[in-house]
Amino acid sequence: MSDLRRISQRFADFVEYVRSSFWAIPGLLILISIAVAVLNLWVDTQVVPALAQKNGSWFHNTEIASIRTLLSTMAAAILGVAGVTFSITIASLTLASQQFGPRLIRTFMRNRFIQTVLGFFVATFVYCMLSMQLSSILANDSYVPISTLLTILILTIVDLVLLVLFIHHICVSIQVDSVIAEVSNEMKSRVTTLLPESDENTMDPSPQLVAEFNSNFADNAQKTLSTQDGYVTSFDYDGLLAYAAEQHVLIRVLQRAGDYVLVGSPLYEHISEDAAANPSILMEKSFCIVGFTRTPLQDLEYTIRQLVEIALRALSPGINDPFTAITCLDRLGSLINLVASRQIAPELIMDEHDNPRMLVKTTSYDGIVQTAFDQIRQNARSNVDVLIRMLEILDQLSLLVPDRQKTTILLHQADQIIEKVDLANFTKSDHSTIMDRYNMIKETIANREEQRSLMPSANYRQD
């Protein structure tokens, strides 16, 4: 079963790689165009001539030359349009890289519509070239290219419509609000995939139990080392847990998805349950995938940093666009609100007999809040509008977060903002406005139970 899990995980990595590439959909459409050209060849040589004998001749052999001319003209035109489309796409990627950050290129490359448009143009060119060659070879009395011409007509109309929609789509997609919305939607999708629905009956292990589990590991614990440099893409936690139960060992995972490891860095370690026994042999099976770049497969902070990067560039002196930074804060607030309603995986994982079996490094609510707000707060210490909006979002989150203990994390962020405000050279009015928002947060936390009792229950609805 663990082998199947690893295969499934590697397949998921490959799907993510294909999903972020420009060649997958165009390659598929090229294969379809070749199949359609061959199918039309069969129809034009077998089906159409039989129909022509019953209903009269539709085309004469003397028109084969004009058909080849049409195919040649169509292929040249589509090739030119495809070149323009690729140029527009590259220009958009360059603009996105300069304005929003190089990590946003991946978001544009994942766009299925752009991939489909490029694929249709290339596939149409391949279809025209292949049909033209086939018409030269099969120019005889039994070849009546009716279906070939109908397909060309349909492809021409579709390509023209796609060209207009492509230009419109590019104009919309390079707008900052569209980029932020696209990244935000991906973040929400990752949260719903990585974090299950919150279950009130699920209890996190106590710190004492975690400490007792850690005390089992000694210097003789077997360590599995990384064989390459790179970022941890994913862990097969189910496979590790199954291995631990099968071999009667305790496992402590030392890295998590998104961490950068060097050759020889320990990925995880394990030790036998029986302290008197020798630990099992070093695990030869790989339960960890290390790649050259970070991916969002198990790394929730990856997509958060994309929005943070957009906000930081907007706050830079060269751009000075606080409205974009405020939009990013709004989306980050939505993400943190969604995370608060989900269940974060426990640090200590039990086996099927409820015995502590594996300790992992997990993403915490505190870590997500820090990733979302820390750098923006540090770079917006002189921007009143951004600080006010950040305090307003923290105020809303303080009321909406289900667990009262998490309000301490939010209040800590607000305290750090106020600490910067006291040192900043603000006017009395700006300082008073910021302090009012800060006092609202403390008041919300103090009276949150009363306010929440008056609120109707609502399920989170994804955009």
Side-chain angles (χ1 to χ4, degrees), residues 73-221:
T73 304
M74 184 65 182
I78 290 298
L79 184 62
V81 173
V84 172
T85 304
F86 274 101
S87 299
I88 296 175
T89 302
I90 296 301
S92 301
L93 293 177
T94 303
L95 178 63
S97 175
Q98 294 176 349
Q99 184 172 354
F100 307 123
R103 292 173 183 83
L104 268 298
I105 293 181
R106 174 184 164 276
T107 301
F108 281 86
M109 293 182 65
R110 283 173 55 88
N111 193 297
R112 285 197 180 97
F113 182 77
I114 296 178
Q115 297 173 1
T116 302
V117 171
L118 297 176
F120 258 96
F121 291 155
V122 176
T124 302
F125 173 77
V126 172
Y127 175 83
C128 292
M129 294 298 296
L130 185 59
S131 298
M132 185 171 60
Q133 295 301 319
L134 292 177
S135 65
S136 300
I137 298 173
L138 301 174
N140 52 47
D141 294 338
S142 63
Y143 180 62
V144 184
I146 293 296
S147 62
T148 299
L149 293 180
L150 288 177
T151 304
I152 283 293
L153 177 61
I154 294 174
L155 287 176
T156 301
I157 297 174
V158 171
D159 288 343
L160 290 175
V161 173
L162 287 178
L163 178 61
V164 176
L165 294 178
F166 173 78
I167 296 175
H168 170 77
H169 180 78
I170 289 296
C171 293
V172 173
S173 62
I174 61 177
Q175 297 178 21
V176 63
D177 290 338
S178 299
V179 174
I180 294 174
E182 184 72 21
V183 177
S184 176
N185 291 335
E186 183 182 1
M187 284 194 305
K188 294 177 182 178
S189 176
R190 294 296 176 184
V191 170
T192 54
T193 301
L194 297 176
L195 304 182
E197 292 284 350
S198 180
D199 186 359
E200 296 180 356
N201 297 324
T202 302
M203 300 294 294
D204 292 334
S206 63
Q208 180 180 359
L209 187 59
V210 174
E212 292 177 357
F213 188 89
N214 272 318
S215 65
N216 294 317
F217 289 83
D219 295 336
N220 62 337

Side-chain angles (χ1 to χ4, degrees), residues 365-415:
Y365 182 81
D366 188 9
I368 292 176
V369 172
Q370 290 179 3
T371 302
F373 291 138
D374 277 358
Q375 287 186 290
I376 299 178
R377 184 193 70 249
Q378 294 162 3
N379 287 269
R381 56 181 177 270
S382 60
N383 196 304
V384 178
D385 292 337
V386 176
L387 294 179
I388 289 176
R389 185 54 187 158
M390 187 180 298
L391 289 171
E392 291 174 347
I393 292 174
L394 292 172
D395 178 49
Q396 296 181 56
L397 293 174
S398 299
L399 176 62
L400 297 175
V401 62
D403 187 0
R404 183 181 179 84
Q405 294 180 350
K406 291 185 172 63
T407 59
T408 304
I409 300 171
L410 302 174
L411 183 59
H412 178 65
Q413 283 289 328
D415 291 337

Side-chain angles (χ1 to χ4, degrees), residues 226-268:
S226 175
T227 58
Q228 67 181 90
D229 299 322
Y231 291 95
V232 176
T233 301
S234 60
F235 273 103
D236 181 11
Y237 293 113
D238 293 335
L240 278 171
L241 185 61
Y243 177 90
E246 178 184 352
Q247 300 294 328
H248 302 287
V249 297
L250 305 178
I251 296 179
R252 181 166 61 178
V253 180
L254 304 176
Q255 310 290 342
R256 68 174 181 176
D259 290 347
Y260 187 84
V261 295
L262 304 176
V263 173
S265 299
L267 297 174
Y268 39 79

Side-chain angles (χ1 to χ4, degrees), residues 309-366:
E309 183 174 1
I310 296 176
L312 295 180
R313 285 176 175 265
L315 291 173
S316 65
I319 298 179
N320 192 21
D321 182 11
F323 298 105
T324 296
I326 290 174
T327 303
C328 292
L329 283 173
D330 293 338
R331 296 290 184 170
L332 289 170
S334 297
L335 173 70
I336 295 175
N337 185 38
L338 175 59
V339 170
S341 65
R342 314 291 291 191
Q343 179 182 337
I344 297 178
E347 185 179 8
L348 187 61
I349 301 178
M350 311 292 181
D351 59 15
E352 57 183 4
H353 301 294
D354 291 332
N355 296 319
R357 185 64 64 182
M358 183 168 64
L359 187 69
V360 301
K361 294 180 64 177
T362 60
T363 299
S364 64
Y365 182 81
D366 188 9

